[in-house]
Amino acid sequence: MWESICLTLAATAGNNIGKVLQKKGTVILPPLSFKLKVIRAYAVNKAWVIGFLMDIFGALLMLRALSQAPVSVIQPVSGCGLAILSIFSHFYLKEVLNAVDWMGITLAGIGTIGVGAGGEEQEPSSISIFQLPWLAFVVSILFVLLNGWLRICKHQRREQELIEFEVVEEIIYGLESGILFGMASVISKLGFVFLEQGFPTMLVPVCISISICCSGTGFYYQTRGLKHGRVIVVSTCAAVASIVTGVVAGMLALGERLPSAPTARFSLLLGWLLIMIGVVLLVSSSRLVRHFRWPSRRIMKSGLVRTGSQRVKDSGPSAVIPAATLHQLITSTAKEKA
């Protein structure tokens, strides 16, 4: 079990860090196209090539991890990729991490240990080949409902002549992308389970191909949400939906079970919870920090205003001449002149 968790951590680190390096390399590169000059420019860019290879290597490691452990263990642990990316950004890209970031990294790490301690090897249960169409049907129904809800929200926004996305639309795009990411892991695992049960070997590449399509479609929905919506809402919903989908679909479609021992079950459930909290904290850390800084700034400003007003009141009497004294001075001066 620990070997699979280590493979998952290495895989998600490769995926996330690889994408950062690719993005860093594309800063000086033209938009990707099939022109020979453009392809050559990408091929000689060191940062982009290393990031691309790390991304591919991470995907292969994830497939290896899925072939050894349940999806209900692998998918939550993959959420720690954001924590690994934060540490990489801090030491390599010299980005500053705040207290909320470190708290999220710590919780994600503790949750990973809990999942590793509570997870157990499971014997593959008998699965019918009709599970794949059943999964596709359930996901299709779910997406029909979500897209119908999205159309209603867009129609209401147009009637009210609003330009910016509403929160509901951001949540829907995040949920759709997260569900597809979770289903990609479940379908990949389904191919390996078919292989263990003696089904034709061709089912493995078929399932992996469907998994790649799910991931690509998930990135499409996530990109649409990020283009017009807020990153914090879309990313949080996508991360949580991905973990929940992997766990629920793994148990319902693949017959995965919770550990029989109460201690192991509690450790696994607590690990899932801590990982999700850690991911949410990492995604929303900047906003949380601004939220906590704003009341403190208001308190400091009100304190300064009060102190300043007290100083004005204290210094006032020594500088202001009373009206009676001023009247006496003017009267005496007039008499002397007369």
Side-chain angles (χ1 to χ4, degrees):
M1 183 61 65
W2 283 108
E3 180 185 354
S4 302
I5 290 177
C6 292
L7 286 173
T8 305
L9 291 175
T12 188
N15 292 143
N16 286 277
I17 296 175
K19 288 180 175 61
V20 171
L21 292 177
Q22 289 180 69
K23 185 176 181 180
K24 185 179 179 181
T26 53
V27 173
I28 59 173
L29 292 175
L32 184 61
S33 64
F34 291 102
K35 295 181 179 179
L36 182 60
K37 185 183 294 185
V38 175
I39 295 175
R40 186 179 301 168
Y42 276 80
V44 298
N45 187 281
K46 185 178 179 180
W48 188 88
V49 171
I50 293 175
F52 178 76
L53 294 177
M54 289 185 68
D55 202 0
I56 297 297
F57 186 66
L60 295 176
L61 288 179
M62 183 63 73
L63 290 176
R64 177 64 177 172
L66 286 169
S67 67
Q68 295 181 351
V71 181
S72 56
V73 171
I74 297 301
Q75 194 62 28
V77 174
S78 66
C80 295
L82 193 57
I84 299 173
L85 178 60
S86 300
I87 297 175
F88 173 79
S89 300
H90 177 67
F91 290 103
Y92 179 73
L93 301 179
K94 306 302 179 182
E95 294 183 357
V96 180
L97 297 180
N98 54 50
V100 179
D101 289 324
W102 287 113
M103 188 183 300
I105 293 171
T106 303
L107 289 177
I110 297 173
T112 303
I113 296 174
V115 170
E120 62 181 12
E121 299 290 342
Q122 299 183 9
E123 296 180 359
S125 56
S126 58
I127 298 177
S128 172
I129 196 172
F130 295 104
Q131 294 283 10
L132 196 57
W134 181 79
L135 280 175
F137 175 74
V138 171
V139 173
S140 300
I141 294 296
L142 190 57
F143 266 74
V144 167
L145 296 176
L146 289 174
N147 283 320
W149 190 13
L150 184 62
R151 286 180 178 273
I152 293 174
C153 293
K154 287 183 176 180
H155 181 69
Q156 292 177 351
R157 180 159 55 86
R158 289 170 183 171
E159 287 183 347
Q160 298 175 3
E161 297 182 354
L162 299 175
I163 300 176
E164 295 183 356
F165 265 30
E166 293 185 356
V167 179
V168 177
E169 297 178 63
E170 298 168 343
I171 292 174
I172 291 174
Y173 278 120
L175 290 177
E176 288 178 336
S177 59
I179 290 170
L180 287 169
F181 292 149
M183 290 305 302
S185 299
V186 173
I187 293 174
S188 296
K189 177 65 177 179
L190 196 61
F192 293 112
V193 173
F194 285 152
L195 185 63
E196 292 176 358
Q197 294 184 357
F199 284 93
T201 312
M202 282 298 297
L203 285 177
V204 177
V206 169
C207 289
I208 292 176
S209 301
I210 297 174
S211 174
I212 294 173
C213 293
C214 287
S215 296
T217 311
F219 280 116
Y220 168 75
Y221 279 106
Q222 188 178 45
T223 303
R224 288 192 64 180
L226 293 175
K227 183 177 181 180
H228 302 287
R230 291 169 295 176
V231 177
I232 176 176
V233 179
V234 178
S235 301
T236 303
C237 293
V240 175
S242 174
I243 294 174
V244 174
T245 302
V247 171
V248 174
M251 291 184 173
L252 295 180
L254 301 177
E256 297 175 357
R257 302 175 302 277
L258 290 173
S260 55
T263 305
R265 185 184 306 154
F266 175 77
S267 176
L268 183 64
L269 293 174
L270 183 62
W272 289 346
L273 179 62
L274 290 178
I275 289 175
M276 284 194 290
I277 294 175
V279 170
V280 171
L281 287 177
L282 285 169
V283 173
S284 57
S285 62
S286 58
R287 175 158 296 199
L288 287 174
V289 169
R290 288 198 301 267
H291 178 73
F292 287 127
R293 282 179 180 173
W294 175 247
S296 62
R297 287 179 179 176
R298 291 183 63 183
I299 293 172
M300 291 176 64
K301 287 182 179 179
S302 62
L304 290 173
V305 170
R306 289 177 183 175
T307 306
S309 63
Q310 288 176 359
R311 288 177 181 175
V312 170
K313 289 179 181 178
D314 292 340
S315 60
S318 60
V320 176
I321 301 174
T325 306
L326 184 60
H327 179 70
Q328 291 176 0
L329 291 172
I330 294 173
T331 306
S332 60
T333 306
K335 289 179 179 179
E336 291 176 358
K337 288 181 178 181

